[in-house]
Amino acid sequence: SSGINAEYGGHRGEISNAVISYDDSLIASGSMDKSCKLWDSRSGGCIETLYGHTDEVLDISFDHRGRQLLSASADTTARVFDVATCKCLSTFVGHEREISKGTFNPSGARVATASSDSTVRIWDVASSTLIQALEGHSDEVFSCQFNYAGDMLISGSKDNTCRLWRDVNSERIIP
């Protein structure tokens, strides 16, 4: 029978998102209190509280190896944290409105962010550089996800459309 096996508390605001790493060893939570927390899934203990955002954390996501955590915020930025050191590796600045969703590509080298500014942006994790700005939605973009190969991305918007973007792994750099 199923039941509650563990409870993770400690945020000072509502939890906007919770995710589990692919090897089931870590849990991460993002909160309206502007922070993320990393939890040991076995002991239930809080490993670290991750700070840096100046507004609500709206989305979090592990990379496919569970080594990095992406946070997306109402402060118009997204951040990548190293899970082992809990240090911020990258900060992505460029959206004009809140970021509602963030996701890693399969290699973990790039992230995509979806925003209320009607764009999806693709960033290089190592350099925090904007690679592509995907424009075409006429309203807020709520979701985005890479395909398994990392060369296509799907986005979903308040404009009642999903858009499929091809060749998103190209090396186009936006100045």
Side-chain angles (χ1 to χ4, degrees):
S1 76
S2 64
I4 297 173
N5 293 312
E7 186 172 304
Y8 305 89
H11 280 289
R12 297 180 316 277
E14 300 167 27
I15 306 296
S16 59
N17 201 344
V19 294
I20 191 163
S21 63
Y22 293 96
D23 67 358
D24 300 331
S25 66
L26 295 172
I27 291 171
S29 55
S31 173
M32 299 301 178
D33 69 8
K34 307 174 191 173
S35 75
C36 301
K37 288 186 179 285
L38 279 176
W39 309 88
D40 182 304
S41 68
R42 290 168 183 85
S43 73
C46 181
I47 296 168
E48 189 73 47
T49 301
L50 308 173
Y51 296 103
H53 288 293
T54 60
D55 207 338
E56 302 164 345
V57 175
L58 302 176
D59 189 50
I60 54 174
S61 176
F62 282 109
D63 73 343
H64 295 291
R65 294 177 307 242
R67 296 182 188 159
Q68 299 177 104
L69 181 73
L70 172 64
S71 61
S73 174
D75 69 7
T76 73
T77 70
R79 294 173 181 269
V80 171
F81 294 90
D82 180 287
V83 169
T85 65
C86 297
K87 302 277 188 240
C88 182
L89 301 175
S90 301
T91 301
F92 308 111
V93 178
H95 280 291
E96 296 173 11
R97 295 179 59 199
E98 72 181 29
I99 300 173
S100 55
K101 177 70 177 167
T103 187
F104 284 94
N105 75 345
S107 72
R110 301 231 172 120
V111 300
T113 53
S115 172
S116 294
D117 67 9
S118 304
T119 68
V120 176
R121 294 175 188 254
I122 299 174
W123 310 86
D124 179 76
V125 172
S127 66
S128 300
T129 304
L130 178 64
I131 302 296
Q132 292 178 321
L134 306 176
E135 299 175 345
H137 284 292
S138 61
D139 210 334
E140 300 174 47
V141 184
F142 295 129
S143 69
C144 60
Q145 183 68 46
F146 285 97
N147 69 333
Y148 182 76
D151 61 348
M152 291 190 297
L153 183 133
I154 187 80
S155 59
S157 170
K158 188 177 178 179
D159 69 8
N160 303 331
T161 67
C162 293
R163 293 188 182 261
L164 183 63
W165 309 88
R166 297 180 189 278
D167 299 321
V168 296
N169 61 356
S170 71
E171 295 297 326
R172 289 180 276 174
I173 307 290
I174 307 297

